[in-house]
Amino acid sequence: MPELLVNQIAAGEVVDRPAAALKELLENSLDAGSRSLSVELVEGGVRRMRVVDDGAGIERDDLPLAVARFATSKITTLDDLERAATLGFRGEALASIGAVARLSIVSRRAETKHAYRIACEAGVVSPVEPAALAAGTTVEVEDLYFNTPARRKFLKSEATEFARCDEAFTRIALSRPGVAFALSHNGRRLAHMPPEGARERAARLVGDDFASSAVEVDSQGARARLAGLAAAPGFTRANRDAQYLFVNGRFVRDKVAAHAIREAYADVLHHDRHPAFVLFLEIDPALVDVNVHPAKSEVRFRDSSAVHQFVFHSLSRALASAKPGTDPGFLSGGTAVPANGKPGSVPGFGQASFAMAQPAAAYAAMFETAVADERRVDAMPQASQSPPLGYALAQLHGVYVLAQNAAGLVIVDMHAAHERIMYEGLKEALDATTLPSQPLLVPIPLTATAEEIEQAAAGRAELETLGFDVAAAGPRELLIRAVPMLMADLDAAGLLRSVLREMREFGATRVLVERRNELLSTMACHAAVRANRALTVPEMNALLRQMEHTEFAGSCNHGRPTWVQFPMADLDRLFMRGR
Ligand SMILES: Nc1ncnc2c1ncn2[C@@H]1O[C@H](COP(=O)(O)OP(=O)(O)O)[C@@H](O)[C@H]1O
Ligand SMILES: [Mg+2]
């Protein structure tokens, strides 16, 4: 097969559309240590795409290698591949692009006097010649697929191809907040980002509301670390658009991690809502294979069950301490406070409370005299010593509890709060024991694949702790002899199938715990105080104290917030009270 044809076929995989070519160019610039990257696109990147970087540059004699297939400066042995820390390593991107477009590279290494240029048009490489460039590398790709009409036909409208390029650009820019990025399309400047922090970069690219309310995740394991931002339960979305997972700096779609993330949110998310997140999983490169697909958008973990558990627990822990911000925008002007406190801590209670201690104490004194005797059951102490959620003042229309804390006014949805408290209590009680099992009078036969039968035998002990008693009853049949007690009414066969599938895919299963939790959640919802029940002040205070000691207390089981803080400053603004 002629080399050009090989490269054209490879191009179909590596650079199947402009966005894929752009991703490869940006990754090359990052691998070269660039601190600043600028992207110019014309007509969705099809007509022209130019990436200008300030990276290390390419040596004159290496330019022909850069456009040669399988020539990479990044790894030399298979061993290196195991530890590849660079984004590229296959050495086929530039060769592929050069086979299906007019490619030109101008590059200059810091120590050399000149820049040099090489061009490659439909696979024909031109000789290296001197050129003008201050530093770094400029790669230009023109008329993508001009010589492969079949591929060109697959291109969508200019707007669509541009949108894909924009998404590729966004992923890369999110992954390196410390690097400056610029983007223009058809001569219009669309983005210009200085080096900044992860939260600022996320605010720019994912949204201010996300960045200001998101929970900070930072969890260090023995050989992995998960860090980044995850949407607070109250700030979820109707679609999956804003979900960014980077494994060792590379954007990937990975079903193990995606599943772990979804499960971590299972307790705080309504079924039709999706979390937004920008998460970075750093993992020992020896434990992950990125060379699964030419575009490297998938990875394979050596121990996917360990990764699943690590991601799940890291994120759950972060979400458990999530607190609703001062959300009511009409009052606070969107000054939602980052929710990164420990369980029971209140946003703005740390630094801000210092400035507020004085006025809050004054208000406390005012209330002391104003409240009825009954309400002094918990004589209101100094604001500085009051618990995070403060003390109850009154009940509003049988629905909300009003309380005063150091920061100002707290409003609690009493049903939602009680529901969460009951639910967490039930879970805790049950987590401590194995799931009780209920033997079936008539065992349920289940047609199974050989794989399922093998899984059931291998995972027998684990299945028993979950309350299942399962035995093989033939080469194609399993017999369910006992089921988890709480779930006796459910579709046992379907449940067992999901359990086996998860045990196989993720090495562990949370299907049962999830189902059990769904049931507990329903129970908690029915058992929780109903609206319109009058609560006494001591009852209300007891509710506040319980909330402070409950995980996930910031939102109810359906992801609605349970309480909201109105800081004094916001109330003052509302009444135009100067300080
Ligand atoms: N922007 C750049 N700055 C410096 N070197 C570059 C740049 N782009 C490409 N190169 C060089 O060209 C080589 C080939 O690039 P590529 O075809 O993308 O393969 P890979 O990235 O897998 O090594 C790289 O190994 C690198 O040495
Ligand atoms: Mg590359």
Side-chain angles (χ1 to χ4, degrees):
M1 223 191 310
E3 166 128 356
L4 175 63
L5 185 56
V6 173
N7 284 337
Q8 283 176 347
I9 292 171
E13 291 188 310
V14 192
V15 289
D16 60 341
R17 34 182 21 109
L22 177 61
K23 166 182 169 285
E24 295 291 337
L25 299 186
L26 291 173
E27 289 187 346
N28 281 346
S29 294
L30 289 177
D31 281 346
S34 307
R35 306 310 302 158
S36 174
L37 277 77
S38 128
V39 178
E40 292 157 39
L41 301 173
V42 175
E43 293 175 20
V46 181
R47 175 78 196 81
R48 177 153 74 246
M49 154 180 328
R50 182 192 285 136
V51 174
V52 179
D53 74 38
D54 62 351
I58 308 171
E59 207 114 20
R60 180 188 191 287
D61 295 344
D62 286 345
L63 277 172
L65 289 177
V67 296
R69 187 168 169 74
F70 297 135
T72 175
S73 60
K74 296 168 191 172
I75 57 171
T76 45
T77 67
L78 202 60
D79 234 24
D80 292 345
L81 180 56
E82 287 246 300
R83 273 173 266 111
T86 50
L87 296 165
F89 53 75
R90 294 170 62 107
E92 58 185 345
L94 291 179
S96 302
I97 295 171
V100 295
R102 299 181 226 277
L103 167 73
S104 95
I105 306 172
V106 180
S107 191
R108 175 171 175 185
R109 287 191 59 94
E111 68 275 10
T112 58
K113 276 219 250 7
H114 285 291
Y116 292 93
R117 174 177 189 274
I118 195 168
C120 180
E121 204 174 305
V124 181
V125 182
S126 69
V128 176
E129 54 187 39
L133 185 73
T137 303
T138 295
V139 179
E140 202 169 277
V141 179
E142 284 187 305
D143 301 320
L144 205 48
Y145 312 122
F146 78 96
N147 60 335
T148 49
R151 178 133 308 270
R152 210 185 163 103
K153 263 200 270 179
F154 279 103
L155 293 177
K156 299 274 186 337
S157 70
E158 175 180 330
T160 304
E161 295 302 339
F162 169 69
R164 289 189 171 147
C165 287
D166 190 35
E167 183 59 22
F169 174 85
T170 297
R171 289 170 183 166
I172 300 253
L174 268 179
S175 77
R176 303 290 173 96
V179 174
F181 284 89
L183 174 67
S184 76
H185 186 217
N186 294 339
R188 269 188 56 216
R189 189 155 105 168
L190 300 173
H192 188 80
M193 315 172 209
E196 56 199 343
R199 215 178 260 272
E200 288 77 38
R201 187 57 62 86
R204 216 183 273 280
L205 294 169
V206 185
D208 286 328
D209 57 335
F210 167 75
S212 56
S213 63
V215 178
E216 197 152 330
V217 183
D218 193 351
S219 172
Q220 179 74 56
R223 298 179 82 180
R225 175 173 178 220
L226 186 73
L229 299 172
F235 287 81
T236 53
R237 307 193 168 205
N239 57 46
R240 276 175 232 272
D241 285 355
Q243 304 193 337
Y244 298 94
L245 173 71
F246 301 91
V247 174
N248 292 348
R250 186 194 305 281
F251 176 88
V252 295
R253 300 186 183 289
D254 175 65
K255 72 180 169 84
V256 172
H259 186 266
I261 293 170
R262 206 164 350 102
E263 291 211 326
Y265 271 100
D267 258 1
V268 288
L269 210 58
H270 209 267
H271 294 307
D272 54 359
R273 303 291 294 172
H274 301 281
F277 52 82
V278 179
L279 289 172
F280 298 89
L281 177 64
E282 300 297 329
I283 182 164
D284 183 341
L287 299 181
V288 56
D289 183 3
V290 289
N291 196 21
V292 181
H293 184 267
K296 307 188 211 78
S297 53
E298 285 168 36
V299 292
R300 197 173 294 135
F301 297 111
R302 191 149 295 174
D303 184 349
S304 56
S305 129
V307 169
H308 189 272
Q309 282 176 30
F310 177 67
V311 171
F312 172 77
H313 286 294
S314 304
L315 189 53
S316 299
R317 226 176 307 129
L319 291 174
S321 59
K323 293 288 163 295
T326 49
D327 181 36
F330 68 96
L331 268 185
S332 61
T335 56
V337 183
N340 53 3
K342 291 185 286 296
S345 77
V346 175
F349 197 67
Q351 296 186 332
S353 65
F354 221 75
M356 287 172 188
Q358 279 301 80
Y363 276 82
M366 195 179 87
F367 275 111
E368 282 274 354
T369 51
V371 291
D373 273 4
E374 185 220 350
R375 291 184 178 158
R376 275 201 238 175
V377 179
D378 292 286
M380 215 170 289
Q382 283 298 306
S384 57
Q385 308 157 3
S386 76
L389 290 177
Y391 293 100
L393 302 169
Q395 194 180 12
L396 185 68
H397 285 292
V399 177
Y400 299 106
V401 171
L402 308 185
Q404 168 183 332
N405 69 355
L409 174 69
V410 170
I411 302 184
V412 175
D413 177 334
M414 71 183 197
H415 173 73
H418 194 222
E419 183 180 327
R420 170 60 75 181
I421 291 167
M422 305 262 303
Y423 174 53
E424 293 300 323
L426 286 169
K427 274 201 305 190
E428 206 172 303
L430 277 182
D431 278 344
T433 61
T434 55
L435 292 173
S437 178
Q438 172 167 318
L440 296 173
L441 284 178
V442 184
I444 304 172
L446 170 68
T447 312
T449 64
E451 205 177 12
E452 283 170 330
I453 291 172
E454 195 185 308
Q455 188 67 58
R460 193 178 169 85
E462 192 184 353
L463 285 172
E464 273 170 13
T465 67
L466 297 172
F468 268 116
D469 179 3
V470 180
R476 285 278 173 271
E477 192 170 87
L478 282 172
L479 210 53
I480 308 179
R481 295 191 294 218
V483 295
M485 184 108 74
L486 266 176
M487 284 157 247
D489 296 338
L490 298 182
D491 162 27
L495 200 57
L496 179 65
R497 257 193 243 283
S498 328
V499 166
L500 292 176
R501 185 174 47 77
E502 289 221 332
M503 284 166 69
R504 188 174 66 242
E505 281 181 24
F506 308 115
T509 178
R510 293 195 33 95
V511 167
L512 284 184
V513 175
E514 242 173 51
R515 289 294 158 78
R516 184 203 74 183
N517 287 352
E518 268 168 33
L519 291 175
L520 294 186
S521 169
T522 312
M523 282 161 58
C525 184
H526 287 291
V529 282
R530 292 277 126 202
N532 294 322
R533 173 146 114 57
L535 295 185
T536 65
V537 168
E539 277 178 324
M540 290 190 270
N541 280 324
L543 182 70
L544 296 175
R545 299 296 80 78
Q546 276 183 307
M547 285 172 70
E548 286 159 3
H549 294 110
T550 299
E551 282 200 312
F552 297 105
S555 57
C556 81
N557 310 348
H558 306 108
R560 285 185 291 116
T562 54
W563 62 277
V564 172
Q565 171 88 62
F566 292 82
M568 289 305 293
D570 289 347
L571 294 173
D572 288 347
R573 241 198 319 277
L574 195 64
F575 291 97
M576 297 175 212
R577 253 180 96 94
R579 286 264 162 123

PDB file of all heavy atoms in Angstrom, residues 437-446 460 464 467-473 478-484 492 496:
ATOM      1  N   SER A 437     -31.648 -11.558  54.680  1.00  0.00           N
ATOM      2  CA  SER A 437     -32.031 -12.357  53.528  1.00  0.00           C
ATOM      3  C   SER A 437     -33.388 -12.996  53.768  1.00  0.00           C
ATOM      4  O   SER A 437     -33.744 -13.311  54.899  1.00  0.00           O
ATOM      5  CB  SER A 437     -30.966 -13.432  53.338  1.00  0.00           C
ATOM      6  OG  SER A 437     -31.305 -14.255  52.272  1.00  0.00           O
ATOM      7  N   GLN A 438     -34.151 -13.160  52.714  1.00  0.00           N
ATOM      8  CA  GLN A 438     -35.438 -13.839  52.853  1.00  0.00           C
ATOM      9  C   GLN A 438     -35.497 -15.033  51.908  1.00  0.00           C
ATOM     10  O   GLN A 438     -35.516 -14.866  50.697  1.00  0.00           O
ATOM     11  CB  GLN A 438     -36.561 -12.862  52.530  1.00  0.00           C
ATOM     12  CG  GLN A 438     -37.906 -13.557  52.477  1.00  0.00           C
ATOM     13  CD  GLN A 438     -39.037 -12.563  52.471  1.00  0.00           C
ATOM     14  OE1 GLN A 438     -39.015 -11.564  53.200  1.00  0.00           O
ATOM     15  NE2 GLN A 438     -40.043 -12.814  51.659  1.00  0.00           N
ATOM     16  N   PRO A 439     -35.530 -16.274  52.486  1.00  0.00           N
ATOM     17  CA  PRO A 439     -35.595 -17.457  51.625  1.00  0.00           C
ATOM     18  C   PRO A 439     -36.917 -17.464  50.856  1.00  0.00           C
ATOM     19  O   PRO A 439     -37.943 -17.043  51.376  1.00  0.00           O
ATOM     20  CB  PRO A 439     -35.555 -18.615  52.622  1.00  0.00           C
ATOM     21  CG  PRO A 439     -35.124 -18.019  53.915  1.00  0.00           C
ATOM     22  CD  PRO A 439     -35.535 -16.594  53.917  1.00  0.00           C
ATOM     23  N   LEU A 440     -36.877 -17.936  49.630  1.00  0.00           N
ATOM     24  CA  LEU A 440     -38.089 -17.983  48.825  1.00  0.00           C
ATOM     25  C   LEU A 440     -38.726 -19.366  48.948  1.00  0.00           C
ATOM     26  O   LEU A 440     -38.029 -20.377  48.925  1.00  0.00           O
ATOM     27  CB  LEU A 440     -37.758 -17.709  47.361  1.00  0.00           C
ATOM     28  CG  LEU A 440     -37.193 -16.323  47.058  1.00  0.00           C
ATOM     29  CD1 LEU A 440     -36.754 -16.243  45.592  1.00  0.00           C
ATOM     30  CD2 LEU A 440     -38.210 -15.242  47.368  1.00  0.00           C
ATOM     31  N   LEU A 441     -40.032 -19.400  49.094  1.00  0.00           N
ATOM     32  CA  LEU A 441     -40.735 -20.693  49.155  1.00  0.00           C
ATOM     33  C   LEU A 441     -40.556 -21.430  47.848  1.00  0.00           C
ATOM     34  O   LEU A 441     -40.252 -22.611  47.815  1.00  0.00           O
ATOM     35  CB  LEU A 441     -42.231 -20.465  49.426  1.00  0.00           C
ATOM     36  CG  LEU A 441     -42.564 -20.116  50.862  1.00  0.00           C
ATOM     37  CD1 LEU A 441     -44.054 -19.855  51.005  1.00  0.00           C
ATOM     38  CD2 LEU A 441     -42.108 -21.233  51.804  1.00  0.00           C
ATOM     39  N   VAL A 442     -40.739 -20.679  46.768  1.00  0.00           N
ATOM     40  CA  VAL A 442     -40.520 -21.258  45.447  1.00  0.00           C
ATOM     41  C   VAL A 442     -39.340 -20.532  44.804  1.00  0.00           C
ATOM     42  O   VAL A 442     -39.451 -19.365  44.463  1.00  0.00           O
ATOM     43  CB  VAL A 442     -41.771 -21.067  44.556  1.00  0.00           C
ATOM     44  CG1 VAL A 442     -41.575 -21.757  43.218  1.00  0.00           C
ATOM     45  CG2 VAL A 442     -43.010 -21.526  45.281  1.00  0.00           C
ATOM     46  N   PRO A 443     -38.188 -21.222  44.689  1.00  0.00           N
ATOM     47  CA  PRO A 443     -37.027 -20.558  44.090  1.00  0.00           C
ATOM     48  C   PRO A 443     -37.345 -20.069  42.678  1.00  0.00           C
ATOM     49  O   PRO A 443     -38.155 -20.676  41.970  1.00  0.00           O
ATOM     50  CB  PRO A 443     -35.968 -21.661  44.060  1.00  0.00           C
ATOM     51  CG  PRO A 443     -36.410 -22.640  45.086  1.00  0.00           C
ATOM     52  CD  PRO A 443     -37.901 -22.595  45.105  1.00  0.00           C
ATOM     53  N   ILE A 444     -36.723 -18.980  42.302  1.00  0.00           N
ATOM     54  CA  ILE A 444     -36.972 -18.401  40.980  1.00  0.00           C
ATOM     55  C   ILE A 444     -35.888 -18.856  40.013  1.00  0.00           C
ATOM     56  O   ILE A 444     -34.709 -18.580  40.228  1.00  0.00           O
ATOM     57  CB  ILE A 444     -36.958 -16.856  41.045  1.00  0.00           C
ATOM     58  CG1 ILE A 444     -37.984 -16.367  42.073  1.00  0.00           C
ATOM     59  CG2 ILE A 444     -37.226 -16.257  39.674  1.00  0.00           C
ATOM     60  CD1 ILE A 444     -37.918 -14.875  42.341  1.00  0.00           C
ATOM     61  N   PRO A 445     -36.275 -19.553  38.914  1.00  0.00           N
ATOM     62  CA  PRO A 445     -35.278 -19.921  37.911  1.00  0.00           C
ATOM     63  C   PRO A 445     -34.992 -18.727  37.011  1.00  0.00           C
ATOM     64  O   PRO A 445     -35.850 -17.862  36.810  1.00  0.00           O
ATOM     65  CB  PRO A 445     -35.970 -21.031  37.124  1.00  0.00           C
ATOM     66  CG  PRO A 445     -37.432 -20.767  37.285  1.00  0.00           C
ATOM     67  CD  PRO A 445     -37.626 -20.007  38.563  1.00  0.00           C
ATOM     68  N   LEU A 446     -33.776 -18.697  36.493  1.00  0.00           N
ATOM     69  CA  LEU A 446     -33.373 -17.540  35.706  1.00  0.00           C
ATOM     70  C   LEU A 446     -32.470 -18.027  34.583  1.00  0.00           C
ATOM     71  O   LEU A 446     -31.439 -18.656  34.834  1.00  0.00           O
ATOM     72  CB  LEU A 446     -32.612 -16.574  36.620  1.00  0.00           C
ATOM     73  CG  LEU A 446     -31.869 -15.394  36.022  1.00  0.00           C
ATOM     74  CD1 LEU A 446     -32.853 -14.400  35.462  1.00  0.00           C
ATOM     75  CD2 LEU A 446     -31.021 -14.736  37.094  1.00  0.00           C
ATOM     76  N   ARG A 460     -20.030 -15.663  45.028  1.00  0.00           N
ATOM     77  CA  ARG A 460     -21.023 -16.238  45.927  1.00  0.00           C
ATOM     78  C   ARG A 460     -21.014 -15.588  47.320  1.00  0.00           C
ATOM     79  O   ARG A 460     -22.054 -15.203  47.855  1.00  0.00           O
ATOM     80  CB  ARG A 460     -20.754 -17.748  46.071  1.00  0.00           C
ATOM     81  CG  ARG A 460     -21.897 -18.456  46.718  1.00  0.00           C
ATOM     82  CD  ARG A 460     -21.696 -19.952  46.833  1.00  0.00           C
ATOM     83  NE  ARG A 460     -22.754 -20.430  47.706  1.00  0.00           N
ATOM     84  CZ  ARG A 460     -23.959 -20.734  47.284  1.00  0.00           C
ATOM     85  NH1 ARG A 460     -24.243 -20.643  46.003  1.00  0.00           N
ATOM     86  NH2 ARG A 460     -24.900 -21.116  48.124  1.00  0.00           N
ATOM     87  N   GLU A 464     -23.955 -13.353  49.119  1.00  0.00           N
ATOM     88  CA  GLU A 464     -24.591 -13.703  50.389  1.00  0.00           C
ATOM     89  C   GLU A 464     -24.650 -12.517  51.338  1.00  0.00           C
ATOM     90  O   GLU A 464     -25.644 -12.315  52.016  1.00  0.00           O
ATOM     91  CB  GLU A 464     -23.881 -14.898  51.038  1.00  0.00           C
ATOM     92  CG  GLU A 464     -24.461 -16.207  50.522  1.00  0.00           C
ATOM     93  CD  GLU A 464     -23.649 -17.420  50.932  1.00  0.00           C
ATOM     94  OE1 GLU A 464     -22.772 -17.304  51.808  1.00  0.00           O
ATOM     95  OE2 GLU A 464     -23.894 -18.506  50.359  1.00  0.00           O
ATOM     96  N   GLY A 467     -27.549 -10.608  50.696  1.00  0.00           N
ATOM     97  CA  GLY A 467     -28.836 -11.222  50.971  1.00  0.00           C
ATOM     98  C   GLY A 467     -29.317 -12.182  49.886  1.00  0.00           C
ATOM     99  O   GLY A 467     -30.427 -12.694  49.946  1.00  0.00           O
ATOM    100  N   PHE A 468     -28.472 -12.414  48.886  1.00  0.00           N
ATOM    101  CA  PHE A 468     -28.845 -13.324  47.807  1.00  0.00           C
ATOM    102  C   PHE A 468     -28.325 -14.732  48.072  1.00  0.00           C
ATOM    103  O   PHE A 468     -27.195 -14.907  48.525  1.00  0.00           O
ATOM    104  CB  PHE A 468     -28.221 -12.862  46.484  1.00  0.00           C
ATOM    105  CG  PHE A 468     -29.113 -11.959  45.679  1.00  0.00           C
ATOM    106  CD1 PHE A 468     -28.743 -10.639  45.432  1.00  0.00           C
ATOM    107  CD2 PHE A 468     -30.311 -12.436  45.142  1.00  0.00           C
ATOM    108  CE1 PHE A 468     -29.559  -9.815  44.679  1.00  0.00           C
ATOM    109  CE2 PHE A 468     -31.123 -11.612  44.383  1.00  0.00           C
ATOM    110  CZ  PHE A 468     -30.746 -10.294  44.153  1.00  0.00           C
ATOM    111  N   ASP A 469     -29.133 -15.728  47.770  1.00  0.00           N
ATOM    112  CA  ASP A 469     -28.620 -17.090  47.715  1.00  0.00           C
ATOM    113  C   ASP A 469     -28.905 -17.585  46.297  1.00  0.00           C
ATOM    114  O   ASP A 469     -30.060 -17.743  45.907  1.00  0.00           O
ATOM    115  CB  ASP A 469     -29.316 -17.961  48.769  1.00  0.00           C
ATOM    116  CG  ASP A 469     -28.807 -19.408  48.710  1.00  0.00           C
ATOM    117  OD1 ASP A 469     -27.884 -19.690  47.900  1.00  0.00           O
ATOM    118  OD2 ASP A 469     -29.342 -20.239  49.466  1.00  0.00           O
ATOM    119  N   VAL A 470     -27.840 -17.783  45.535  1.00  0.00           N
ATOM    120  CA  VAL A 470     -27.987 -18.136  44.127  1.00  0.00           C
ATOM    121  C   VAL A 470     -27.154 -19.374  43.824  1.00  0.00           C
ATOM    122  O   VAL A 470     -26.018 -19.469  44.270  1.00  0.00           O
ATOM    123  CB  VAL A 470     -27.494 -16.975  43.230  1.00  0.00           C
ATOM    124  CG1 VAL A 470     -27.656 -17.334  41.768  1.00  0.00           C
ATOM    125  CG2 VAL A 470     -28.244 -15.694  43.549  1.00  0.00           C
ATOM    126  N   ALA A 471     -27.725 -20.302  43.090  1.00  0.00           N
ATOM    127  CA  ALA A 471     -26.973 -21.502  42.724  1.00  0.00           C
ATOM    128  C   ALA A 471     -27.188 -21.811  41.251  1.00  0.00           C
ATOM    129  O   ALA A 471     -28.224 -21.459  40.677  1.00  0.00           O
ATOM    130  CB  ALA A 471     -27.445 -22.685  43.569  1.00  0.00           C
ATOM    131  N   ALA A 472     -26.197 -22.453  40.637  1.00  0.00           N
ATOM    132  CA  ALA A 472     -26.350 -22.869  39.252  1.00  0.00           C
ATOM    133  C   ALA A 472     -27.282 -24.072  39.220  1.00  0.00           C
ATOM    134  O   ALA A 472     -27.205 -24.952  40.068  1.00  0.00           O
ATOM    135  CB  ALA A 472     -24.998 -23.224  38.654  1.00  0.00           C
ATOM    136  N   ALA A 473     -28.194 -24.090  38.231  1.00  0.00           N
ATOM    137  CA  ALA A 473     -29.135 -25.204  38.138  1.00  0.00           C
ATOM    138  C   ALA A 473     -29.035 -25.872  36.787  1.00  0.00           C
ATOM    139  O   ALA A 473     -29.941 -26.566  36.361  1.00  0.00           O
ATOM    140  CB  ALA A 473     -30.556 -24.705  38.387  1.00  0.00           C
ATOM    141  N   LEU A 478     -29.759 -20.303  36.378  1.00  0.00           N
ATOM    142  CA  LEU A 478     -29.455 -19.994  37.775  1.00  0.00           C
ATOM    143  C   LEU A 478     -30.761 -20.124  38.565  1.00  0.00           C
ATOM    144  O   LEU A 478     -31.847 -19.932  38.018  1.00  0.00           O
ATOM    145  CB  LEU A 478     -28.951 -18.560  37.906  1.00  0.00           C
ATOM    146  CG  LEU A 478     -27.501 -18.263  37.527  1.00  0.00           C
ATOM    147  CD1 LEU A 478     -27.266 -16.766  37.543  1.00  0.00           C
ATOM    148  CD2 LEU A 478     -26.540 -18.968  38.470  1.00  0.00           C
ATOM    149  N   LEU A 479     -30.610 -20.447  39.853  1.00  0.00           N
ATOM    150  CA  LEU A 479     -31.782 -20.552  40.703  1.00  0.00           C
ATOM    151  C   LEU A 479     -31.614 -19.561  41.858  1.00  0.00           C
ATOM    152  O   LEU A 479     -30.635 -19.622  42.590  1.00  0.00           O
ATOM    153  CB  LEU A 479     -31.851 -21.988  41.248  1.00  0.00           C
ATOM    154  CG  LEU A 479     -33.234 -22.549  41.547  1.00  0.00           C
ATOM    155  CD1 LEU A 479     -34.146 -22.416  40.340  1.00  0.00           C
ATOM    156  CD2 LEU A 479     -33.096 -24.011  41.964  1.00  0.00           C
ATOM    157  N   ILE A 480     -32.574 -18.659  41.997  1.00  0.00           N
ATOM    158  CA  ILE A 480     -32.511 -17.706  43.113  1.00  0.00           C
ATOM    159  C   ILE A 480     -33.284 -18.319  44.280  1.00  0.00           C
ATOM    160  O   ILE A 480     -34.496 -18.506  44.184  1.00  0.00           O
ATOM    161  CB  ILE A 480     -33.131 -16.354  42.725  1.00  0.00           C
ATOM    162  CG1 ILE A 480     -32.504 -15.845  41.418  1.00  0.00           C
ATOM    163  CG2 ILE A 480     -32.937 -15.332  43.847  1.00  0.00           C
ATOM    164  CD1 ILE A 480     -33.073 -14.533  40.937  1.00  0.00           C
ATOM    165  N   ARG A 481     -32.565 -18.648  45.372  1.00  0.00           N
ATOM    166  CA  ARG A 481     -33.219 -19.320  46.492  1.00  0.00           C
ATOM    167  C   ARG A 481     -33.562 -18.375  47.632  1.00  0.00           C
ATOM    168  O   ARG A 481     -34.420 -18.655  48.454  1.00  0.00           O
ATOM    169  CB  ARG A 481     -32.327 -20.449  47.009  1.00  0.00           C
ATOM    170  CG  ARG A 481     -32.162 -21.534  45.938  1.00  0.00           C
ATOM    171  CD  ARG A 481     -31.537 -22.763  46.490  1.00  0.00           C
ATOM    172  NE  ARG A 481     -30.154 -22.535  46.914  1.00  0.00           N
ATOM    173  CZ  ARG A 481     -29.189 -23.439  46.751  1.00  0.00           C
ATOM    174  NH1 ARG A 481     -29.454 -24.615  46.219  1.00  0.00           N
ATOM    175  NH2 ARG A 481     -27.968 -23.171  47.140  1.00  0.00           N
ATOM    176  N   ALA A 482     -32.851 -17.243  47.705  1.00  0.00           N
ATOM    177  CA  ALA A 482     -33.179 -16.241  48.717  1.00  0.00           C
ATOM    178  C   ALA A 482     -32.867 -14.866  48.148  1.00  0.00           C
ATOM    179  O   ALA A 482     -31.961 -14.716  47.322  1.00  0.00           O
ATOM    180  CB  ALA A 482     -32.382 -16.479  49.990  1.00  0.00           C
ATOM    181  N   VAL A 483     -33.625 -13.883  48.579  1.00  0.00           N
ATOM    182  CA  VAL A 483     -33.418 -12.517  48.084  1.00  0.00           C
ATOM    183  C   VAL A 483     -33.264 -11.564  49.269  1.00  0.00           C
ATOM    184  O   VAL A 483     -33.643 -11.894  50.390  1.00  0.00           O
ATOM    185  CB  VAL A 483     -34.611 -12.046  47.214  1.00  0.00           C
ATOM    186  CG1 VAL A 483     -34.712 -12.870  45.947  1.00  0.00           C
ATOM    187  CG2 VAL A 483     -35.905 -12.090  47.999  1.00  0.00           C
ATOM    188  N   PRO A 484     -32.686 -10.397  49.043  1.00  0.00           N
ATOM    189  CA  PRO A 484     -32.568  -9.424  50.136  1.00  0.00           C
ATOM    190  C   PRO A 484     -33.959  -9.059  50.651  1.00  0.00           C
ATOM    191  O   PRO A 484     -34.844  -8.758  49.854  1.00  0.00           O
ATOM    192  CB  PRO A 484     -31.899  -8.215  49.468  1.00  0.00           C
ATOM    193  CG  PRO A 484     -31.357  -8.710  48.175  1.00  0.00           C
ATOM    194  CD  PRO A 484     -32.140  -9.900  47.779  1.00  0.00           C
ATOM    195  N   ALA A 492     -36.766  -9.813  41.289  1.00  0.00           N
ATOM    196  CA  ALA A 492     -35.523 -10.411  41.781  1.00  0.00           C
ATOM    197  C   ALA A 492     -34.571 -10.764  40.648  1.00  0.00           C
ATOM    198  O   ALA A 492     -33.363 -10.561  40.746  1.00  0.00           O
ATOM    199  CB  ALA A 492     -35.830 -11.652  42.616  1.00  0.00           C
ATOM    200  N   LEU A 496     -30.867  -9.276  40.196  1.00  0.00           N
ATOM    201  CA  LEU A 496     -29.689 -10.134  40.219  1.00  0.00           C
ATOM    202  C   LEU A 496     -28.837  -9.900  38.967  1.00  0.00           C
ATOM    203  O   LEU A 496     -27.611  -9.825  39.035  1.00  0.00           O
ATOM    204  CB  LEU A 496     -30.090 -11.609  40.312  1.00  0.00           C
ATOM    205  CG  LEU A 496     -28.907 -12.584  40.322  1.00  0.00           C
ATOM    206  CD1 LEU A 496     -28.052 -12.398  41.566  1.00  0.00           C
ATOM    207  CD2 LEU A 496     -29.369 -14.027  40.221  1.00  0.00           C
TER     208      LEU A 496
END
